[in-house]
């Protein structure tokens, strides 16, 4: 799910990096958010967007990708250690 989301952001011309994706994975592993889409939105925007001029573009891309989703399944599951390496 996160890789597809990451690629969706890249396709919308957002300058997100693999390092930022890994930071998002680490934050999810640390359980900094619940399975709420709103919590995930705030966390992912804080980690993935480094220029506030890009917030609107991120908001549109996030809305397109997560349209109709109310909770994120799988956030309760453990992220495998090899994904973080």
């Amino acid at each position: 799910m996160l890789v597809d989301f990451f690629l969706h952001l890249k396709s919308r011309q957002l300058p997100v990096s693999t390092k930022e994706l890994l930071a998002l994975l680490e934050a999810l592993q640390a359980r900094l958010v619940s399975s709420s889409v709103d919590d995930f939105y705030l966390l992912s925007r804080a980690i993935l967007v480094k220029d506030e001029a890009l917030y609107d573009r991120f908001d549109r891309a996030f809305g397109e990708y997560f349209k109709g989703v109310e909770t994120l399944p799988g956030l309760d599951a453990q992220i495998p250690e090899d994904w973080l390496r």
Side-chain angles (χ1 to χ4, degrees):
M1 174 187 89
L2 287 179
V3 172
D4 291 336
F5 175 55
F6 176 76
L7 294 175
H8 180 77
L9 294 177
K10 298 276 287 179
S11 74
R12 298 303 185 263
Q13 309 302 315
L14 283 156
V16 292
S17 69
T18 305
K19 184 177 180 179
E20 293 164 346
L21 176 63
L22 292 175
L24 180 58
L25 284 172
E26 288 178 15
L28 292 173
Q29 184 182 33
R31 307 225 183 273
L32 296 180
V33 295
S34 65
S35 61
S36 162
V37 175
D38 293 333
D39 291 347
F40 178 72
Y41 161 77
L42 292 171
L43 178 68
S44 62
R45 188 177 78 169
I47 292 175
L48 298 174
V49 180
K50 298 301 179 203
D51 182 359
E52 66 184 50
L54 298 173
Y55 280 176
D56 288 338
R57 193 180 308 170
F58 177 83
D59 292 348
R60 285 190 300 275
F62 189 94
E64 291 169 1
Y65 190 81
F66 289 103
K67 184 176 183 177
V69 176
E70 294 181 17
T71 61
L72 298 175
L75 283 187
D76 297 333
Q78 291 283 54
I79 298 173
E81 279 296 318
D82 61 324
W83 287 15
L84 297 174
R85 288 190 209 115

